[in-house]
Amino acid sequence: MTPFGTVELTVYPYECDAFGHLNQAALLTLLERARWDALARGPGMDLFERNGVWPAVRKATIEYRAPAFARDVLRIETTVVGRGTTSMTLRHVVRRISDDAAIAEAEMVFVCIDRLGRATPIPDEIARFLGPRPSGGHQPIQVPAGDVELAVDLRGEGVPVLFVHGFPFDRTVWRHQLATLSRARRIASTCAASAARGCPPVPTAIRCRGMRTTSWPCSTRWACGRQCCAASRWVATSSSSCCAGIRSA
């Protein structure tokens, strides 16, 4: 459940460029209109002012998926996907109502600042409006893989790109790349051993040819002798052509 209701907005001709498309900068304005509209319907547009703070945009990441045109009616869904002590992260999904086409997705980080421009903790009233702290904007799916279970984070569409890391890290080391890389199916997983097996992991490196990676993948060899190659098991699911390129280092 999100505190921000779904908002429908019409694209006006003055918001379009010379080719008749909704201008990329005008989309940011539409997102701002949607946030103001949601506040007006809820706690009021003066929510921040009466608490003596202001939400300053620190970061905006936008993926433009399809063009929108004058007179299109867009549905904008806004959710809270992150909240810190002084900051909040909102995710916008924009779709055209007539054909349900995905127009854009955006994630925006706001920092509460006081009248002197200093970062300040989110006031209680605003925190109550935002709701409980999200456990994560993108919940991983659980994929059984032999003696272990992979928590796999999937984002976006396009060419599969697998992010791999070594022990003792987990998939969260790739959080910035997962959030900002566009035009790709981003995949990051964590290999978790069952505590009941009592087999502490000892990292063993492997190499992978024929696929896009940002680092050398790793497999895990358990002290009892069993081995689980997290990379090869997942690649077999997403891109079978890569499996032959994985070998022990």
Side-chain angles (χ1 to χ4, degrees):
M1 191 68 180
T2 173
F4 293 89
T6 299
V7 176
E8 296 180 1
L9 297 175
T10 300
V11 178
Y12 296 124
Y14 69 81
E15 295 172 315
C16 298
D17 58 24
F19 297 97
H21 304 140
L22 173 65
N23 181 268
Q24 52 89 18
L27 177 64
L28 281 169
T29 302
L30 286 180
L31 299 181
E32 185 173 19
R33 282 169 53 191
R35 293 193 297 271
W36 280 116
D37 197 330
L39 286 176
R41 298 178 187 182
M45 288 186 175
D46 63 342
L47 173 65
F48 291 92
E49 183 177 3
R50 66 175 179 257
N51 281 278
V53 297
W54 191 255
V57 177
R58 185 180 186 277
K59 178 181 179 181
T61 303
I62 305 178
E63 186 169 353
Y64 298 91
R65 294 185 172 273
F69 306 92
R71 295 181 295 280
D72 280 351
V73 180
L74 305 180
R75 180 176 63 249
I76 302 176
E77 299 175 353
T78 304
T79 55
V80 181
V81 298
R83 179 157 67 84
T85 302
T86 63
S87 66
M88 69 198 84
T89 302
L90 303 183
R91 182 170 186 262
H92 297 289
V93 177
V94 184
R95 307 188 76 90
R96 183 166 42 233
I97 289 180
S98 62
D99 58 1
D100 202 37
I103 302 301
E105 294 182 9
E107 281 199 5
M108 305 187 68
V109 179
F110 298 83
V111 175
C112 275
I113 59 174
D114 61 19
R115 299 185 187 281
L116 298 178
R118 300 171 301 192
T120 188
I122 298 174
D124 290 342
E125 183 184 9
I126 298 174
R128 288 193 299 270
F129 169 69
L130 296 174
R133 292 176 185 266
S135 58
H138 299 266
Q139 293 300 317
I141 62 174
Q142 303 300 316
V143 180
D147 294 335
V148 298
E149 186 174 76
L150 305 182
V152 181
D153 196 337
L154 298 176
R155 307 193 195 186
E157 300 293 337
V159 177
V161 177
L162 176 64
F163 294 85
V164 209
H165 48 270
F167 178 83
F169 302 107
D170 63 18
R171 69 184 185 283
T172 60
V173 301
W174 302 113
R175 60 188 180 278
H176 299 299
Q177 291 85 351
L178 290 170
T180 58
L181 184 64
S182 62
R183 298 188 299 277
R185 181 68 160 165
R186 288 97 73 192
I187 307 165
S189 68
T190 296
C191 186
S194 171
R197 298 189 182 278
C199 297
V202 178
T204 302
I206 64 172
R207 297 184 63 184
C208 177
R209 297 194 305 267
M211 70 176 295
R212 299 182 184 183
T213 58
T214 53
S215 71
W216 294 118
C218 287
S219 66
T220 301
R221 183 182 299 277
W222 309 110
C224 59
R226 292 192 296 270
Q227 184 172 6
C228 165
C229 174
S232 63
R233 289 178 186 270
W234 176 246
V235 170
T237 302
S238 63
S239 178
S240 59
S241 64
C242 295
C243 296
I246 298 180
R247 68 177 189 274
S248 296

